Amino acid sequence: MSAAEKETGVVDASHAGNTNAAALATTRDVERIEAPVTWKAYLICAFASFGGIFFGYDSGYINGVLGSRIFIDAVEFVGAKEVSESHTSLIVSILSCGTFFGAVIAGDFADWFGRKWTVIMGCMIYMFGVVIQMITGAGDPLGAIVAGRLIAGIGVGFESAIVILYMSEICPRKVRGALVAGYQFCITIGIMLASCVVYGTKGRKDTGAYRIPIAIQFIWAIILAGGLLFLPDSPRYFVKKGKLPQAASALARLRGQPKESEYIQVELAEIVANEEYERQLIPSTTWFGSWANCFKGSVWNGNSNLRKTILGTSLQMMQQWTGVNFIFYYSTPFLQSTGAIKDTFLISMVFTIINVFSTPISFWTVERFGRRTILFWGALGMLICQFICAIIGVTAGFNFTHPDPDGTVGPDGEILSIADNISAVNAQIAFIAIFIFFFASTWGPGAWIVIGEIFPLPIRSRGVGLSTASNWLWNTIIAVITPYMTGSNRGNMKSSVFFVWGGLCTCALVYTYFLVPETKGLSLEQVDKMMEETTPRTSAKWKPHQTFAAAKAEDGFHHTEHAV
């Protein structure tokens, strides 16, 4: 350090990859590495969670569209009873296929063009896919809906992976969990909005019965893309690219502080120092080498890239293994045939409303008790509900039915079945509702929060992309195999299927206890250090003891201990 630098406290930060000089004040106080959260900063960070509506609405509207008389006539033939099983499977699953590949490739785009521009690009792809879906009914209607959903799925993949990445990188550490949980909250709102729109258009006798639910997707894309145009990109992306002035400007806007504020300088210094430290461990390489970095290290090393990639992808797998998709996609027709439910829309809306209003509980619990804690107790609550539901079903509930004595015929042309014990079936429905409460307030948001926090900067975009792709892969697998498990002409498991979900929730409980670290209250840089120095079971007790900038002081940073 030169004499002038010692006198002024201003040093050259060009070692971080920036060609311009940057004055970075640093501190040894681990509690002073971020500015206090302002309402403006809070709202900027929260806006990105709006992207969850894409996910939820797109997942929710298709079931109603598939039941539209006009849509069935267009895709099959006039007078067809329903969309065939093979066509239904293709139409529903093709979105997940597109989303899987979109999530995988989005990581590269996020590193090339930036986080916010990748999300905006995903919105454009999404809207193009919606346009193609809108022409369903002309020419080859099946081809239009399938191609449109495949393309829209790629856009959803971009959005679902990179919004989590973007939010994790811009949110203040003390409220990061709550803000990222807002993404899951928006997913539940999207599902509810889809249910309402489908219900409102189901009586139409023209193509608006399915085109209106499809077209409304434009609104979500325009709001998200338009809003992001006015928001800054991730400062960590700019640091990764060696653009420190842009990083400082973005951080100042996100924290609601002037760029010259010591808070901004200190946080930027911490990000830069950590980026340099991680670059020493994960050096820049070729495109293929950068993907290979995600799988380097030992599976027994808690801080290895391979271990983090496995943790992120398996966490999303566990989220899907809870059986929540079975509840939302198949539980209504599953229970309807017992005669305990007269209005399928009502029970669907009850489940959806519970899902929506349970999720905000996580805004408080995730920061009060921590990620690991809510995932553990959430898994315990879910497995209890699933096993009770299974036991009731195989002893007195859903598994025991008799033909309707009035000879009422169902949509399939067969006489409806009536439950022998309506009260037992209602008890099953009650425990399904309680299960949804536990999922929505714990594993629903918790899995998304953790995958955005555990990856180091050099592989973060690809790691989050792979984890999100895992979610969609297992979403698809479970959606495909569930009809074979529960179909009357196939597995016909009836209530025994809840034993499967209960067993998998038990796996999630054990998995959380042994493998999920506690990341509450830590900056993304501190999370990396915590995973290096502790184990998941002891991670909640770990406290940061040194800033990265302090550790790199000998490289030219200047320390300041005075309060701001």
Side-chain angles (χ1 to χ4, degrees):
M1 182 182 296
S2 68
E5 287 172 339
K6 290 180 180 179
E7 180 179 350
T8 63
V10 176
V11 297
D12 188 341
S14 60
H15 67 284
N18 183 25
T19 57
N20 300 316
L24 299 176
T26 69
T27 180
R28 294 184 185 276
D29 186 352
V30 296
E31 297 301 323
R32 289 187 61 251
I33 59 173
E34 279 189 356
V37 182
T38 65
W39 274 107
K40 178 183 177 183
Y42 193 95
L43 292 174
I44 288 175
C45 296
F47 174 79
S49 65
F50 183 85
I53 289 184
F54 277 62
F55 194 150
Y57 188 90
D58 215 284
S59 299
Y61 87 90
I62 192 61
N63 287 333
V65 168
L66 288 171
S68 166
R69 177 74 264 162
I70 306 297
F71 183 83
I72 295 171
D73 290 345
V75 172
E76 297 295 331
F77 54 86
V78 176
K81 185 165 61 175
E82 60 185 9
V83 178
S84 68
E85 288 184 359
S86 60
H87 288 170
T88 297
S89 175
L90 176 62
I91 292 169
V92 173
S93 63
I94 198 67
L95 178 87
S96 297
C97 178
T99 306
F100 172 83
F101 289 105
V104 170
I105 65 176
D108 284 325
F109 282 84
D111 279 348
W112 294 337
F113 304 111
R115 282 45 166 157
K116 86 165 188 177
W117 290 109
T118 300
V119 176
I120 292 173
M121 193 182 308
C123 292
M124 299 300 107
I125 296 172
Y126 182 78
M127 287 192 287
F128 181 58
V130 171
V131 170
I132 295 177
Q133 291 178 67
M134 288 288 290
I135 65 175
T136 299
D140 183 357
L142 180 64
I145 191 70
V146 169
R149 282 179 61 79
L150 175 65
I151 294 171
I154 294 173
V156 174
F158 272 52
E159 178 274 329
S160 60
I162 307 307
V163 162
I164 293 297
L165 172 65
Y166 179 64
M167 293 184 68
S168 297
E169 291 192 339
I170 68 174
C171 291
R173 57 178 176 148
K174 293 181 179 179
V175 293
R176 186 177 60 238
L179 288 172
V180 177
Y183 178 80
Q184 175 68 21
F185 181 51
C186 286
I187 290 176
T188 65
I189 291 176
I191 294 173
M192 184 174 70
L193 288 174
S195 297
C196 294
V197 171
V198 166
Y199 184 70
T201 60
K202 69 176 185 178
R204 294 181 67 95
K205 302 301 182 182
D206 56 19
T207 58
Y210 64 86
R211 283 187 167 137
I212 290 175
I214 290 173
I216 284 178
Q217 296 172 97
F218 273 107
I219 298 174
W220 322 135
I222 291 171
I223 292 175
L224 182 61
L228 284 176
L229 287 173
F230 300 97
L231 298 186
D233 211 325
S234 164
R236 287 175 170 88
Y237 162 73
F238 288 125
V239 168
K240 181 181 175 71
K241 290 295 186 181
K243 300 177 179 179
L244 296 194
Q246 293 94 321
S249 297
L251 199 57
R253 290 181 63 190
L254 292 169
R255 299 295 180 256
Q257 299 280 339
K259 189 164 60 174
E260 298 77 18
S261 165
E262 191 169 350
Y263 280 119
I264 301 302
Q265 296 294 302
V266 164
E267 184 172 357
L268 183 58
E270 187 71 357
I271 297 172
V272 169
N274 175 261
E275 198 272 343
E276 181 179 282
Y277 169 73
E278 290 177 340
R279 281 295 172 200
Q280 293 173 353
L281 301 177
I282 313 173
S284 298
T285 181
T286 62
W287 175 85
F288 179 81
S290 61
W291 274 105
N293 281 333
C294 294
F295 304 96
K296 286 186 176 179
S298 169
V299 70
W300 307 112
N301 178 3
N303 195 44
S304 71
N305 291 350
L306 175 61
R307 179 71 171 266
K308 291 175 179 177
T309 299
I310 292 175
L311 175 61
T313 53
S314 60
L315 194 66
Q316 291 286 24
M317 176 184 73
M318 287 290 174
Q319 188 200 61
Q320 295 300 304
W321 276 7
T322 60
V324 67
N325 281 340
F326 168 77
I327 301 300
F328 284 111
Y329 294 158
Y330 300 107
S331 64
T332 300
F334 183 77
L335 294 170
Q336 180 187 15
S337 60
T338 65
I341 300 174
K342 299 300 183 183
D343 189 339
T344 58
F345 176 77
L346 176 62
I347 194 64
S348 175
M349 283 301 297
V350 168
F351 287 164
T352 301
I353 290 170
I354 293 172
N355 193 30
V356 171
F357 287 98
S358 298
T359 302
I361 296 173
S362 66
F363 296 177
W364 178 71
T365 58
V366 74
E367 298 298 355
R368 174 63 178 84
F369 302 107
R371 288 71 157 144
R372 173 181 166 86
T373 301
I374 68 168
L375 290 176
F376 180 86
W377 290 106
L380 180 63
M382 288 189 295
L383 75 87
I384 291 173
C385 291
Q386 295 280 21
F387 280 129
I388 290 177
C389 194
I391 292 169
I392 293 174
V394 300
T395 56
F398 175 79
N399 287 20
F400 299 91
T401 60
H402 59 271
D404 185 352
D406 296 331
T408 305
V409 177
D412 57 1
E414 298 182 358
I415 297 177
L416 290 177
S417 296
I418 302 296
D420 293 348
N421 189 331
I422 297 292
S423 296
V425 174
N426 287 336
Q428 286 184 277
I429 295 172
F431 278 102
I432 289 174
I434 298 171
F435 162 84
I436 293 172
F437 164 79
F438 277 111
F439 175 85
S441 59
T442 59
W443 274 84
W448 292 108
I449 294 168
V450 174
I451 67 167
E453 297 176 329
I454 59 175
F455 294 101
L457 183 57
I459 65 167
R460 186 173 295 143
S461 60
R462 291 177 174 85
V464 174
L466 286 171
S467 301
T468 305
S470 173
N471 179 290
W472 287 100
L473 174 65
W474 287 100
N475 185 316
T476 304
I477 291 173
I478 290 175
V480 169
I481 67 174
T482 297
Y484 291 92
M485 295 166 61
T486 61
S488 58
N489 296 323
R490 297 180 174 88
N492 197 27
M493 294 183 68
K494 296 186 177 179
S495 293
S496 296
V497 74
F498 292 105
F499 282 119
V500 175
W501 306 132
L504 291 172
C505 286
T506 303
C507 293
L509 179 77
V510 175
Y511 170 90
T512 302
Y513 180 76
F514 286 104
L515 295 176
V516 178
E518 182 53 72
T519 57
K520 176 176 74 78
L522 303 177
S523 70
L524 297 183
E525 290 69 36
Q526 290 169 345
V527 169
D528 191 57
K529 197 67 175 176
M530 176 272 292
M531 296 183 73
E532 180 182 325
E533 297 180 353
T534 188
T535 65
R537 282 181 290 173
T538 59
S539 58
K541 299 178 181 178
W542 185 88
K543 302 295 181 185
H545 48 81
Q546 187 182 34
T547 65
F548 279 92
K552 287 291 181 181
E554 64 275 12
D555 291 336
F557 287 135
H558 174 74
H559 294 282
T560 177
E561 303 298 338
H562 62 277
V564 175

